[in-house]
Amino acid sequence: MSTTSQNKRGFQPRVDSLQKNGRSSRDGSRTRKRLVSQNDAYLFALRVAYLSYLLQPRIRRTQNVSAAQKPLHKSSSSIHDLMKDFGLVRDSKSTKFPHGFMADLERRLTGVIMGKEKGQEFHDAAVKRSFAAFLNAFMEQSFKKQMEKNRRVEDLVLIFYSNATKELQKGKAAGDDSWKLMADRHLALFIRLISVVLKEGDSSRERPELSTRLSTLETKLLTNAHDLAADSTNGNNLGPAVEIFVPLTHDVKDMPLVQVVARIFGLTNNMVQSDIDKNKSTWTAKAALQDLKVYQTLLNLNSRKTLRNDDFDLEEAYEAWKRAETPDLAQMIMAIVQSNPELAKSSYNHNAPQLNPNASGSDASDAGYLETSRKMSLSEASSYVIDQPVDMSTISLVDNNPHAFERGEDTFTFIPSDTRAYYRVILSQALSHDLRDETLQASGPNMEVTAFKLLSKSSTELLNEVCLRWRMPYISRAVLLLDVVREKFVEQEISLDILDAAFTLIKEPIPDNRKDSHFISSQFRDRTRWPLQDFALNQQILTALNDALLRDLYDVALQCYEQKPPSVGPILFVLERHIYDDPSFSRSPEDVAAFANQLREGLREKSFALYKEYLVKHLPQDQQRWQFYDVIELGKAVLALAQRIQKRYRKNAEIMGANPLTTLVETMLPLYSEDARDIVERILQLNAAKNEEVPIEDGFDLYRELVEIRRIHLEALPSIAFAFRIEDLLADFVWRWINMTEMTVGPWIDGAIKQDVFKVRSGTGQIPTEEERHSVSVIDIFTSFNQTIDRIVQLQWDDDLQYAKFMTALAKIVGGGLARYCDIIEQKFSKEMDRLAPEQEASANLTRQEKWMQLAKDTWNNKEKIEPFQFFPESFVKLNNIEFAVRQLDKLEKEVNVDACVDVIEKNTPPLIQRQRKVNNYVFTIKIVEAEDLKACDTNGLSDPYVVLGDEYQKRLAKTRIIYGNLNPRWDETVDITTQGPLNIIATVWDWDSLGDHDCVGRTSIKLDPSHFSDFLPREYWLDLDTQGRLLLRVSMEGERDDIQFYFGKAFRTLKRTERDMTRKITDKLSAYINHCLSRRALKSLLSRGITMSSVSSYFNRNRPQPIAQGPTPSEITDALKPLFTYFDDNFAIMNQTLTREAMIMVMTRLWKEVLVTIESLVVPPLSDKPSQQRQLNQQELDIVFKWLQLLFDFFHAVDEETGEENGVPLDILRSPKYFEVKTLNFFYFDSTDSLIRTSERMASATAARQQTQRNRLSAPAAMTSMPFGGAAGLLGTPAHGKSKSVMLSRNLGTMKKAKEDKRKEAQADPNDDMILRILRMRPDAERYLKDRSRQKERLAAAAAAEMIVRQSIMAGGGRMTGSLPRR
């Protein structure tokens, strides 16, 4: 078993017992702390300060004596006796020369020999010889090396003395001993020179022991000797100069520590001088020596008047402390004796104290107690300088009855009965004085304490002297310092910085190269070596400081919400660093939780009070003055505070378990949300009562602020719901803004168009880029649309259903605005395109007779006026605007995320409501396809027809383009008509005349009844005109729904229709020349170029076989189209300067369709159930036509011969279904009638089979098919195979392209017999078959329509039709 285990006697129980008994002094019998008066503490402090004055090193001065020579007596002490003090030292750094000293000494020795030394005593010739002899020995390398290594004083002194003796003996008789006295004098001068070198190198301050011993040795050598320089003085009456000790004045002015005592106790020097004079006979060095003897005796007796083994927890700790006390006491006794040699006669038997190497045979830890006890006592003004353990066995202690000391109260003169209590009072006085006096010098870095304003340098010296005399252990000093600092901190006399400085001072002394400085810190941490009383007091101090610091922390933490609050960091630092890290302090989890709860409750109350202040500050008392701005400012104040707290406590979010930010938001945000709801509702009520509206911008600003607060609320308080739904409360502001936008969109459009000049935006002479070919009006319009939508998007509306409804309403506004823009642009465009040419204007100014004369002249000359149309660049810019609008609308549709809006609405709308939704508006799409057998209104047997649609109130609804010189025109133009109920439509066919009024060709009517189109299937009607011929209309209906896809689709269709109509108007200006160049007259002219008058046979020779005419050559066929190509090139050059590439391709594509239709009409008549008068072409004519088709195909494709780049219409557009239909004519054109009828019948049977298969697929359950409602469109009773062109299929460019591609694929994959039927119209013997086939198509179309109606009725959930529209 270890010694520690054997000697440990229960550390904590003894401490607890000590705390309960309240023992505060070394006297174990005392149960209560002795109260020490300030006067008693002052008197004992004064004693110690006065004793320090008595024991300070004496000051010497030079004094001349009378000239009469006294007999000189040699000193009785030999050099070896004088060097005994140095011989006692073993390896002590304090008595060795510093490094580099030998070089300085060598320089000074050389100066003495050369006569450069200032002192007159060094100029004597004998002195120079002695110094020269020593310098010769000193310069030997072996000796110098040894001296640099050992640096011992005795070695240097003995070598000098040896060399000086040899030098002085030279020339002396054998019995002459006069040289001996001179040798002592020369050695004294050598020691004086050493002292001077030490002082000049500032080494005397670092080695005060060495300086003192050198001074003592010099004094002993000069005893009974006169001044060394006296022999060299002549011509004066003064005797030799000698050094004497200056006697003590016993004046307070010469006592630094006594003055410190006077200052800290607030007394004058006179008052202190009076006390010293009264007691100086008692306060003597002898009494101090007697105190040390008595203390040593009591220490050996284990008396209660010193620390006992009962005062330590471990026996080892007590023994270590006791062993450390013995050498320290010896040094103190040595210092007293040295200051007053007379005391040695009574204190020593005959010999001075000798060094006993075994006297301190303790280990390093024991020595640490010695160093620790002196750690805070050594200073420049220290009263003793001995630093070696001394053998005390030779000291004679006058203590014949040592037990008598224990019975008396006044055992000591300088040591009080309760050293801890007296020291505490003195320490408290010194600390209070130094804290009040800012002019005092703080402890500096030259001292062995930290430089800070805690205790002044002079106070520190006094306290060190007190602790030295009273034998206060370092731990007791440290704990008592903490106790005093604790008291003053609790009473708020000192700051937290001073408290931290006090802990730092005792825990982390300044490190140096001495091992004892590291031992001090380790001793402070090793609590097993502490006296029990210090351990108990330390626990009390830590507990009291913890309570005080927590109170301060609570007060400071409650100020955390202020603008510039004090920092809690210093308090937490002291708590963590000095309180909680201390092993003597313990805290329970319950205490920690209790403080955290208390702090949270305090922060909650502070937050509530602060919110009330904000409420009073930002909300007026009068409710009539409340505004949304007040709610916003209140919210901003709350958010600003939360953000400030979050930033302030970003690194350390909690304060002792309490989070200021969490507590703040837990308190303020629920209060704000409830108050904001009530205030907003009240504001709305007050404004409604006054018939006023809150500004929309205020509502938007409020929404943004509330949403931000709600976001923070949800992040910080996920378990607590926000007080109200912000969107429900403020949605009306968005609807008001949407309604205001709807009212202003019309003026936007009108203003943008009015300010637009419709010119490209490039510089003069520069080729415009693609982005510069549209004008500013369309840019301004879409900028407004984007800003309108962005306004809602930027709100970040947090209700998907409401947001989808907002976007739906905005889509309707955008669609309406674009419709208005298209209408105005198309009107301007039509006005520009319908203007008269200069020749037409001149013709219009002719008289009626002149007009008839000009017409007869043109008819006689067979002249056809086909002149190029002069296009305006502004017209092409308008087309570019429409094309740009299509692209921008498609981009806008993607940004709005239309499909997501539809999904949200459908998910939040019950199915029953979806099925029962009523439709109030219906959109009828009427396509004016073609007309047949129109009445000829012109003198050439033709007409120039166009169609005007109007309602029963004679309001014009639509007008088609003019088809020149045609009785079977084909328009293929579409118009949308919106109605809320049945509407009668009147269609009038007019003949355009350049002269006079237009002629009416015929009229017909149709009733648009939504109930007849409840199946939403397209229908075709052949309407007979009231004069002659008939008109084909294709009618479909779609319910106008409050659906974002519907609105975008409607807007797209409006734009595309406008784009198509404008393109058609452009191509119409070119179609007349196309018809002229690709007419039968042009074909006949080409074939008749080789016929002359000589080849014409007479009537009588008509039956003779005629020679076969040679057909035109390929170059002639090509040359026949050169005028057309030139015409195209001229117009395309004009267009290419202004139109975008997309618009250019669109115009060329439309022209290509016009070419295909012209060639088709050149080969076959239109589709009808009646025979045609058109003559079938022969093989030569047909070949020429198809050669023309190929030439035109290559022209429109426009492939660069060198690079192979396609510059014209893409191949996929050129190879359209119409192109393939025309190409198929070459296969059937010359077949017999019977073969064509059989082929038609086979195609009809295959078509019927495919339709039946399709109907069977559509009849499958809904889960087996994804096909929506739709149906077939009949042509002459034949059901169509493609889908109807509904608005939903036009909601963006993607769906439009897909629908177009599907139609193309269906047309290619599902050929019909239409072309065969058109060929049969030119065969008179096929009249009966045409009528039968027409009736068959009508029956099939009717059956398909009926079946589709039944199926849709079943899918709708009932057997009868309702007025509800099914949703997608």
Side-chain angles (χ1 to χ4, degrees):
M1 181 179 293
S2 66
T3 306
T4 303
S5 302
Q6 292 174 351
N7 295 331
K8 187 169 179 62
R9 301 186 297 273
F11 184 60
Q12 190 61 41
R14 295 194 59 201
V15 173
D16 295 339
S17 175
L18 187 64
Q19 290 176 338
K20 292 178 182 179
N21 295 333
R23 195 176 83 183
S24 59
S25 69
R26 294 173 179 169
D27 192 351
S29 62
R30 297 179 183 177
T31 58
R32 290 190 305 171
K33 186 176 180 179
R34 177 178 176 180
L35 298 178
V36 178
S37 66
Q38 183 174 338
N39 185 63
D40 292 342
Y42 152 71
L43 290 176
F44 272 97
L46 184 61
R47 299 181 194 190
V48 173
Y50 178 67
L51 179 61
S52 175
Y53 169 73
L54 295 178
L55 300 181
Q56 67 181 353
R58 300 295 179 85
I59 301 175
R60 293 192 301 269
R61 71 183 180 188
T62 302
Q63 180 176 340
N64 292 323
V65 297
S66 61
Q69 295 293 329
K70 295 177 63 177
L72 296 179
H73 300 282
K74 184 180 178 299
S75 175
S76 61
S77 301
S78 67
I79 187 62
H80 298 286
D81 293 337
L82 295 176
M83 294 303 298
K84 275 187 178 181
D85 289 345
F86 286 99
L88 296 176
V89 180
R90 290 295 184 268
D91 298 329
S92 176
K93 293 182 180 179
S94 61
T95 58
K96 289 185 177 183
F97 291 121
H99 291 286
F101 173 79
M102 298 305 167
D104 295 336
L105 180 62
E106 181 181 349
R107 187 179 66 255
R108 297 300 292 268
L109 289 172
T110 304
V112 171
I113 296 172
M114 297 177 65
K116 295 181 179 181
E117 190 66 30
K118 295 180 179 180
Q120 293 295 325
E121 62 271 21
F122 293 102
H123 293 172
D124 184 67
V127 173
K128 292 181 179 179
R129 289 197 305 271
S130 298
F131 275 73
F134 168 75
L135 183 59
N136 292 331
F138 183 76
M139 294 299 291
E140 293 181 4
Q141 293 299 324
S142 59
F143 178 74
K144 183 180 293 187
K145 185 176 181 180
Q146 181 182 1
M147 288 304 302
E148 288 290 348
K149 179 180 179 180
N150 297 330
R151 295 180 287 120
R152 294 189 300 179
V153 179
E154 58 269 28
D155 295 341
L156 202 62
V157 171
L158 291 175
I159 292 298
F160 181 89
Y161 187 78
S162 175
N163 285 276
T165 302
K166 292 178 182 179
E167 183 65 28
L168 292 174
Q169 282 180 345
K170 293 179 180 180
K172 300 292 183 181
D176 189 359
D177 294 335
S178 60
W179 59 269
K180 295 183 179 179
L181 182 60
M182 189 62 66
D184 291 346
R185 295 173 183 172
H186 290 186
L187 179 59
L189 284 177
F190 177 68
I191 293 174
R192 182 179 298 179
L193 185 65
I194 291 175
S195 300
V196 171
V197 174
L198 287 175
K199 289 181 180 179
E200 290 181 353
D202 203 21
S203 299
S204 60
R205 295 171 58 87
E206 299 178 359
R207 288 169 168 76
E209 299 90 341
L210 177 60
S211 299
T212 303
R213 296 188 184 209
L214 289 173
S215 177
T216 302
L217 180 59
E218 181 186 353
T219 301
K220 291 180 179 181
L221 288 171
L222 293 177
T223 304
N224 302 322
H226 63 284
D227 189 86
L228 296 177
D231 294 339
S232 60
T233 60
N234 296 311
N236 56 46
N237 297 325
L238 295 177
V242 297
E243 286 188 345
I244 63 173
F245 289 104
V246 178
L248 299 177
T249 62
H250 298 281
D251 192 346
V252 173
K253 295 180 180 179
D254 299 329
M255 306 176 188
L257 290 186
V258 172
Q259 296 178 24
V260 174
V261 173
R263 283 199 301 270
I264 65 176
F265 282 96
L267 302 177
T268 64
N269 289 346
N270 293 332
M271 297 172 64
V272 175
Q273 185 70 56
S274 176
D275 291 335
I276 290 176
D277 294 341
K278 186 189 307 180
N279 297 288
K280 66 179 179 180
S281 60
T282 306
W283 300 346
T284 63
K286 183 177 180 180
L289 182 62
Q290 181 66 22
D291 284 353
L292 293 177
K293 294 178 180 180
V294 174
Y295 179 83
Q296 177 68 31
T297 302
L298 295 177
L299 180 66
N300 294 331
L301 295 176
N302 197 20
S303 171
R304 291 188 179 91
K305 293 184 178 295
T306 65
L307 288 178
R308 306 173 55 190
N309 56 357
D310 291 342
D311 293 322
F312 292 88
D313 182 59
L314 298 178
E315 189 69 28
E316 292 178 355
Y318 171 69
E319 293 296 335
W321 170 79
K322 185 176 180 181
R323 285 193 297 269
E325 283 286 280
T326 301
D328 210 8
L329 289 173
Q331 292 185 57
M332 295 175 66
I333 292 173
M334 178 68 72
I336 295 175
V337 172
Q338 284 186 346
S339 66
N340 193 347
E342 296 295 330
L343 295 177
K345 299 178 181 180
S346 61
S347 301
Y348 292 83
N349 286 331
H350 291 289
N351 300 317
Q354 303 294 321
L355 175 67
N356 185 2
N358 299 324
S360 61
S362 59
D363 55 11
S365 63
D366 299 336
Y369 270 96
L370 171 63
E371 301 298 337
T372 303
S373 65
R374 296 184 357 260
K375 187 64 182 178
M376 297 180 64
S377 63
L378 297 180
S379 65
E380 295 179 11
S382 179
S383 59
Y384 72 101
V385 294
I386 303 299
D387 194 21
Q388 301 84 30
V390 179
D391 186 3
M392 298 295 296
S393 61
T394 60
I395 296 180
S396 176
L397 300 177
V398 185
D399 52 353
N400 296 327
N401 189 10
H403 294 284
F405 296 120
E406 297 189 63
R407 294 192 296 268
E409 281 292 327
D410 299 330
T411 306
F412 304 103
T413 301
F414 292 94
I415 303 176
S417 57
D418 190 350
T419 55
R420 295 172 61 89
Y422 279 84
Y423 177 76
R424 191 183 185 285
V425 174
I426 298 173
L427 177 61
S428 178
Q429 285 293 122
L431 185 61
S432 299
H433 174 268
D434 291 347
L435 293 176
R436 290 192 302 267
D437 190 353
E438 297 181 356
T439 62
L440 293 179
Q441 179 184 2
S443 301
N446 292 330
M447 302 297 295
E448 295 184 355
V449 291
T450 308
F452 62 96
K453 185 62 175 68
L454 183 62
L455 289 170
S456 67
K457 180 179 179 181
S458 58
S459 298
T460 303
E461 293 174 354
L462 173 65
L463 294 174
N464 287 341
E465 192 69 23
V466 169
C467 292
L468 174 69
R469 295 299 165 192
W470 295 356
R471 308 310 304 146
M472 293 283 294
Y474 172 75
I475 298 303
S476 299
R477 307 182 203 180
V479 173
L480 288 174
L481 174 62
L482 285 182
D483 190 33
V484 172
V485 171
R486 183 270 311 162
E487 180 183 25
K488 294 186 178 301
F489 179 77
V490 171
E491 295 176 358
Q492 299 182 354
E493 296 181 11
I494 62 174
S495 65
L496 189 66
D497 292 336
I498 296 179
L499 176 63
D500 176 54
F503 273 107
T504 304
L505 174 65
I506 64 175
K507 291 168 64 175
E508 301 177 2
I510 295 179
D512 54 25
N513 296 327
R514 299 173 58 177
K515 298 181 180 179
D516 56 281
S517 63
H518 300 284
F519 181 81
I520 292 175
S521 299
S522 62
Q523 184 186 13
F524 188 82
R525 289 189 292 268
D526 187 5
R527 305 303 169 92
T528 60
R529 293 180 176 269
W530 283 29
L532 295 176
Q533 193 170 6
D534 292 330
F535 189 89
L537 179 60
N538 185 61
Q539 285 186 326
Q540 297 173 4
I541 292 171
L542 295 177
T543 302
L545 285 176
N546 178 66
D547 296 341
L549 288 171
L550 288 181
R551 285 193 296 270
D552 291 350
L553 179 64
Y554 180 85
D555 295 337
V556 171
L558 291 187
Q559 303 176 49
C560 67
Y561 300 137
E562 296 179 0
Q563 192 70 28
K564 293 182 178 180
S567 175
V568 298
I571 300 178
L572 291 175
F573 174 81
V574 173
L575 282 171
E576 296 291 339
R577 179 77 177 276
H578 303 309
I579 306 298
Y580 299 150
D581 286 351
D582 196 299
S584 302
F585 183 81
S586 62
R587 55 174 181 164
S588 63
E590 292 77 9
D591 294 338
V592 176
F595 178 78
N597 292 333
Q598 183 181 6
L599 181 56
R600 278 193 290 268
E601 185 62 30
L603 291 174
R604 192 173 293 109
E605 294 176 359
K606 190 70 176 179
S607 301
F608 182 79
L610 192 58
Y611 176 76
K612 291 298 183 183
E613 294 178 6
Y614 285 169
L615 202 61
V616 172
K617 178 180 179 181
H618 296 286
L619 195 65
Q621 295 294 327
D622 186 8
Q623 294 186 5
Q624 299 292 333
R625 297 170 54 198
W626 284 0
Q627 298 179 3
F628 282 2
Y629 174 80
D630 302 327
V631 184
I632 294 174
E633 289 301 310
L634 179 61
K636 287 182 177 179
V638 172
L639 285 184
L641 177 61
Q643 292 171 356
R644 187 168 69 247
I645 299 304
Q646 183 181 25
K647 182 178 180 181
R648 182 177 297 164
Y649 298 100
R650 180 176 60 255
K651 295 182 178 179
N652 299 310
E654 291 189 351
I655 302 176
M656 297 291 288
N659 191 316
L661 178 62
T662 302
T663 305
L664 177 72
V665 297
E666 285 178 351
T667 305
M668 279 196 173
L669 293 187
L671 290 173
Y672 175 78
S673 61
E674 295 175 1
D675 289 346
R677 176 197 59 199
D678 298 339
I679 295 171
V680 171
E681 290 178 350
R682 183 57 179 164
I683 292 174
L684 295 176
Q685 292 174 0
L686 293 174
N687 280 270
K690 295 184 292 185
N691 292 325
E692 297 178 356
E693 289 184 339
V694 179
I696 295 176
E697 290 299 325
D698 291 353
F700 287 174
D701 292 341
L702 177 62
Y703 177 78
R704 281 189 287 267
E705 189 67 28
L706 291 178
V707 166
E708 178 63 17
I709 294 178
R710 182 176 62 185
R711 181 188 64 80
I712 298 176
H713 184 283
L714 294 178
E715 290 178 358
L717 310 173
S719 59
I720 302 177
F722 201 69
F724 66 102
R725 278 186 53 80
I726 306 172
E727 288 73 19
D728 293 343
L729 188 61
L730 301 179
D732 183 62
F733 288 90
V734 182
W735 287 117
R736 284 172 51 198
W737 184 79
I738 292 175
N739 295 334
M740 183 184 69
T741 303
E742 186 176 12
M743 291 185 294
T744 57
V745 70
W748 287 356
I749 303 297
D750 297 341
I753 295 175
K754 184 177 181 180
Q755 296 177 3
D756 196 357
V757 294
F758 297 99
K759 292 183 179 180
V760 294
R761 293 174 290 115
S762 63
T764 305
Q766 297 179 354
I767 299 177
T769 62
E770 288 291 314
E771 295 301 324
E772 294 175 343
R773 293 177 182 254
H774 47 267
S775 61
V776 296
S777 61
V778 69
I779 297 177
D780 294 342
I781 289 171
F782 272 95
T783 299
S784 300
F785 288 159
N786 284 313
Q787 291 175 351
T788 300
I789 294 176
D790 287 344
R791 192 63 185 278
I792 303 299
V793 174
Q794 290 171 0
L795 288 176
Q796 297 182 354
W797 201 261
D798 199 16
D799 187 299
D800 292 341
L801 179 59
Q802 291 181 355
Y803 178 80
K805 291 181 178 180
F806 296 157
M807 291 297 108
T808 301
L810 289 177
K812 183 179 181 181
I813 295 173
V814 170
L818 289 177
R820 184 180 182 87
Y821 182 76
C822 290
D823 184 53
I824 299 175
I825 292 296
E826 190 172 12
Q827 290 178 12
K828 290 180 174 291
F829 183 83
S830 299
K831 186 177 181 181
E832 294 168 357
M833 299 301 292
D834 293 341
R835 74 184 189 279
L836 297 176
E839 296 81 0
Q840 293 174 333
E841 292 181 355
S843 178
N845 295 328
L846 297 175
T847 62
R848 186 176 184 87
Q849 184 177 1
E850 290 174 340
K851 291 179 181 179
W852 281 110
M853 291 294 294
Q854 184 66 35
L855 181 60
K857 183 178 179 181
D858 293 340
T859 303
W860 177 260
N861 295 329
N862 197 20
K863 179 181 178 182
E864 294 185 7
K865 294 182 179 180
I866 306 298
E867 299 174 354
F869 185 79
Q870 299 298 322
F871 293 101
F872 287 164
E874 291 83 353
S875 303
F876 293 148
V877 171
K878 293 181 176 66
L879 180 58
N880 291 339
N881 286 356
I882 300 299
E883 184 269 331
F884 177 79
V886 172
R887 289 189 284 112
Q888 290 298 310
L889 184 63
D890 184 67
K891 180 180 179 182
L892 188 63
E893 190 262 354
K894 291 182 175 62
E895 293 176 351
V896 171
N897 200 354
V898 170
D899 295 337
C901 293
V902 172
D903 292 341
V904 169
I905 293 176
E906 289 182 352
K907 289 178 182 179
N908 290 275
T909 304
L912 183 62
I913 296 178
Q914 294 183 25
R915 291 198 303 267
Q916 294 181 354
R917 181 177 295 174
K918 294 289 184 181
V919 178
N920 296 323
N921 295 328
Y922 301 92
V923 179
F924 284 93
T925 302
I926 302 176
K927 183 173 184 179
I928 305 171
V929 183
E930 60 180 339
E932 287 185 352
D933 299 333
L934 296 180
K935 182 179 68 172
C937 297
D938 295 337
T939 56
N940 58 0
L942 300 174
S943 295
D944 303 322
Y946 65 92
V947 180
V948 175
L949 296 182
D951 60 10
E952 52 192 320
Y953 303 105
Q954 297 182 355
K955 178 183 178 181
R956 176 181 288 191
L957 302 177
K959 174 181 174 294
T960 68
R961 71 187 188 281
I962 302 170
I963 305 296
Y964 295 97
N966 202 324
L967 298 180
N968 299 292
R970 187 178 184 88
W971 291 280
D972 286 328
E973 295 189 19
T974 306
V975 62
D976 287 340
I977 298 175
T978 302
T979 180
Q980 295 181 349
L983 180 67
N984 292 319
I985 298 296
I986 300 173
T988 305
V989 183
W990 295 89
D991 171 58
W992 179 86
D993 286 329
S994 60
L995 301 175
D997 296 333
H998 298 182
D999 300 325
C1000 179
V1001 178
R1003 287 187 178 87
T1004 186
S1005 63
I1006 183 175
K1007 184 178 182 179
L1008 302 179
D1009 192 345
S1011 62
H1012 296 163
F1013 292 86
S1014 58
D1015 56 356
F1016 301 102
L1017 298 178
R1019 291 176 172 80
E1020 293 188 349
Y1021 298 94
W1022 278 106
L1023 303 176
D1024 294 330
L1025 301 178
D1026 57 355
T1027 55
Q1028 174 185 333
R1030 56 181 182 172
L1031 179 66
L1032 177 60
L1033 299 180
R1034 183 178 298 164
V1035 183
S1036 63
M1037 186 195 75
E1038 188 169 4
E1040 185 172 288
R1041 297 176 289 174
D1042 189 19
D1043 186 287
I1044 188 171
Q1045 289 181 336
F1046 177 85
Y1047 292 132
F1048 269 101
K1050 187 176 180 181
F1052 270 110
R1053 191 160 70 169
T1054 300
L1055 288 171
K1056 295 301 289 186
R1057 185 171 296 163
T1058 303
E1059 184 182 60
R1060 186 170 57 249
D1061 292 344
M1062 294 172 69
T1063 305
R1064 182 180 291 117
K1065 285 182 172 64
I1066 294 174
T1067 56
D1068 285 348
K1069 298 301 179 182
L1070 308 177
S1071 60
Y1073 198 70
I1074 295 174
N1075 293 328
H1076 171 72
C1077 295
L1078 300 178
S1079 63
R1080 289 199 172 214
R1081 183 181 295 119
L1083 184 61
K1084 181 179 178 181
S1085 174
L1086 178 62
L1087 291 174
S1088 63
R1089 286 182 182 179
I1091 301 176
T1092 61
M1093 292 300 296
S1094 60
S1095 64
V1096 180
S1097 300
S1098 65
Y1099 173 77
F1100 299 100
N1101 295 327
R1102 63 182 183 274
N1103 292 326
R1104 183 180 298 178
Q1106 300 292 327
I1108 299 175
Q1110 295 295 327
T1113 63
S1115 61
E1116 293 176 339
I1117 295 174
T1118 303
D1119 292 342
L1121 292 184
K1122 278 187 177 180
L1124 180 60
F1125 292 155
T1126 302
Y1127 183 71
F1128 281 158
D1129 287 337
D1130 294 340
N1131 286 279
F1132 289 168
I1134 298 174
M1135 296 177 187
N1136 198 37
Q1137 294 177 358
T1138 307
L1139 286 178
T1140 62
R1141 175 168 176 78
E1142 187 73 21
M1144 188 69 184
I1145 295 296
M1146 188 166 50
V1147 172
M1148 294 177 68
T1149 301
R1150 179 63 193 174
L1151 282 175
W1152 174 245
K1153 291 180 180 179
E1154 193 70 28
V1155 167
L1156 291 178
V1157 171
T1158 303
I1159 291 179
E1160 182 187 43
S1161 63
L1162 182 63
V1163 178
V1164 294
L1167 186 63
S1168 177
D1169 59 346
K1170 298 178 181 181
S1172 175
Q1173 300 298 322
Q1174 183 173 333
R1175 179 183 63 84
Q1176 185 171 350
L1177 299 177
N1178 57 33
Q1179 185 66 51
Q1180 188 179 28
E1181 292 172 334
L1182 187 64
D1183 292 340
I1184 293 174
V1185 170
F1186 278 100
K1187 287 180 181 179
W1188 283 351
L1189 178 62
Q1190 185 61 41
L1191 290 172
L1192 288 166
F1193 184 92
D1194 296 337
F1195 176 82
F1196 277 90
H1197 194 202
V1199 177
D1200 194 322
E1201 295 179 358
E1202 295 180 358
T1203 63
E1205 182 181 359
E1206 298 179 0
N1207 298 318
V1209 182
L1211 279 177
D1212 58 340
I1213 297 178
L1214 292 174
R1215 293 172 178 172
S1216 63
K1218 176 63 70 176
Y1219 172 76
F1220 286 108
E1221 286 180 0
V1222 174
K1223 293 285 286 186
T1224 57
L1225 288 173
N1226 202 18
F1227 297 102
F1228 303 106
Y1229 200 72
F1230 294 107
D1231 284 356
S1232 63
T1233 303
D1234 294 338
S1235 177
L1236 291 175
I1237 290 175
R1238 286 193 300 269
T1239 303
S1240 176
E1241 289 176 345
R1242 285 196 305 270
M1243 288 185 177
S1245 299
T1247 300
R1250 283 194 300 271
Q1251 291 179 352
Q1252 183 61 40
T1253 302
Q1254 184 179 9
R1255 285 196 295 269
N1256 293 337
R1257 186 172 67 251
L1258 293 175
S1259 300
M1264 299 175 60
T1265 176
S1266 60
M1267 193 168 187
F1269 71 88
L1275 177 61
L1276 289 176
T1278 303
H1281 305 298
K1283 299 178 183 177
S1284 62
K1285 293 183 179 179
S1286 66
V1287 173
M1288 301 305 291
L1289 293 178
S1290 305
R1291 62 180 181 271
N1292 56 46
L1293 289 180
T1295 57
M1296 294 170 70
K1297 291 179 180 179
K1298 186 176 183 302
K1300 191 173 183 179
E1301 186 63 25
D1302 291 343
K1303 178 182 178 182
R1304 178 187 180 89
K1305 291 179 180 179
E1306 289 180 7
Q1308 293 178 353
D1310 189 16
N1312 53 50
D1313 60 343
D1314 289 350
M1315 281 300 176
I1316 295 177
L1317 295 176
R1318 296 174 71 173
I1319 295 173
L1320 291 175
R1321 285 195 65 194
M1322 295 184 294
R1323 311 286 178 88
D1325 51 347
E1327 180 180 1
R1328 184 177 181 85
Y1329 178 75
L1330 289 175
K1331 292 182 179 180
D1332 294 340
R1333 184 75 179 94
S1334 176
R1335 286 193 294 268
Q1336 181 185 9
K1337 284 187 175 184
E1338 291 177 355
R1339 287 195 301 269
L1340 290 174
E1347 184 178 356
M1348 184 61 67
I1349 292 174
V1350 173
R1351 183 166 58 252
Q1352 287 192 344
S1353 177
I1354 294 174
M1355 291 174 63
R1360 60 185 182 85
M1361 296 299 297
T1362 64
S1364 302
L1365 281 176
R1367 287 183 57 82
R1368 286 175 61 85

